[in-house]
Amino acid sequence: MKPYISIGITTYKDLSDPVVAREIYRAYENLVPKLTPTEISIWQQKWSVADVNGFVENWLQVLKYKKHADREREDIIESGVFRLGAEWKQKGLGGGQVRFRPENQNDREDTILIKHPYLARINWLVFFSKLVDICEPSYAMINLFTEAEIKGDKSSRFEAFDGAVAGEANFTHWKASSGVWRKPDKWDRKARRVYRFLPELSWANFLGKEFEGQYNSELLQRSVSNCIASETGLLFSLTDSISDVVKAPENFTSKRLKARNAFKDGFFRLPNS
């Protein structure tokens, strides 16, 4: 298999704002121009993208819905809108997808999932850092996946590490002694915003305030590279270059294991490897 880049972003910022779409397109255009989207779609509808305006215009679609008491009665028991996020791509070079929270659940998360083939000449850390600035995430990751890097129990999405990690459930669900997956009460916002798990450390990560108390910040910062601490969280990469995943895998694995020691026991779903 060919190596590929996956980026996952989880945020409580409203990504449906067209300003966000404009900034993401500009990030592609300025930092990874070869991957700048040329097509955008929502469900079965597709549009060519010639410039930033074409991207922004089709970033969000809103569909109205109504629920009736039954087929034979006209009584409406519920109505609202679906907020549909766009998928984008550069022909032959992958792309991304944004998912917006339901219209009536402002305390839920929005996510972005991105997948591109690995292009060695791109400064992936700069691009990733810009996406973090735009999206203000609770968690964000970028990893270079190779055949050796893909691992985990594929029977559970929470224990697999083969692509973008995004969505509240990845950080809050736990497996009971019975083997059944449990989760916080969906109405308990405070419990849902305590992130206690990751499947694995990616090459670069952003840990937001939701991870407070789950790691030793000083120990972690001594163990990693390109570390930037801010009021909103900690951005770091395990090594100086993402190419280390393929060019120096032993060093990359060693740095990952060292960084994992800064986290609480049981934080990682996958065993040391």
Side-chain angles (χ1 to χ4, degrees), residues 28-39:
Y28 270 101
E29 192 175 47
N30 295 331
L31 301 174
V32 289
K34 190 172 183 178
L35 302 178
T36 301
T38 55
E39 182 179 293

Side-chain angles (χ1 to χ4, degrees), residues 43-224:
W43 281 8
Q44 301 300 318
Q45 300 183 73
K46 296 181 180 180
W47 304 271
S48 295
V49 175
D51 55 27
V52 65
N53 293 326
F55 189 76
V56 173
E57 288 170 5
N58 298 296
W59 179 247
L60 165 70
Q61 281 199 15
V62 177
L63 300 181
K64 295 181 180 180
Y65 72 89
K66 295 179 182 179
K67 286 186 179 181
H68 296 268
D70 57 51
R71 292 182 180 179
E72 298 180 358
R73 297 176 59 186
E74 295 185 357
D75 296 346
I76 298 173
I77 60 174
E78 183 182 343
S79 63
V81 298
F82 291 117
R83 293 161 12 115
L84 305 177
E87 296 184 40
W88 62 90
K89 68 179 183 180
Q90 166 61 256
K91 188 175 182 180
L93 293 175
Q97 178 181 14
V98 61
R99 296 175 180 171
F100 304 126
R101 71 201 74 180
E103 184 234 3
N104 60 347
Q105 298 183 34
N106 289 331
D107 64 337
R108 302 301 301 194
E109 78 277 23
D110 286 356
T111 61
I112 290 179
L113 307 173
I114 294 174
K115 182 178 180 180
H116 291 293
Y118 173 54
L119 304 177
R121 293 183 179 180
I122 287 176
N123 190 326
W124 290 102
L125 185 58
V126 171
F127 179 56
F128 176 67
S129 299
K130 183 59 178 178
L131 294 178
V132 168
D133 290 342
I134 294 169
C135 299
E136 303 173 14
S138 52
Y139 178 67
M141 54 75 65
I142 179 172
N143 199 62
L144 172 55
F145 286 96
T146 64
E147 191 167 355
E149 181 72 354
I150 295 175
K151 50 188 177 293
D153 179 3
K154 300 301 188 295
S155 64
S156 167
R157 67 185 177 98
F158 301 126
E159 295 174 314
F161 188 60
D162 57 3
V165 178
E168 205 175 68
N170 288 281
F171 323 117
T172 60
H173 284 48
W174 71 93
K175 186 183 285 187
S177 58
S178 62
V180 176
W181 285 96
R182 305 293 188 188
K183 60 183 178 180
D185 188 314
K186 67 179 181 179
W187 303 112
D188 189 341
R189 178 181 181 275
K190 184 176 180 180
R192 287 184 7 246
R193 295 286 289 268
V194 176
Y195 287 5
R196 300 188 292 137
F197 306 101
L198 277 182
E200 179 60 282
L201 273 181
S202 298
W203 172 74
N205 307 261
F206 178 83
L207 306 177
K209 292 183 177 180
E210 287 76 6
F211 287 99
E212 287 182 354
Q214 303 302 324
Y215 62 95
N216 182 315
S217 180
E218 292 184 2
L219 179 58
L220 180 60
Q221 291 185 59
R222 291 199 302 269
S223 304
V224 299

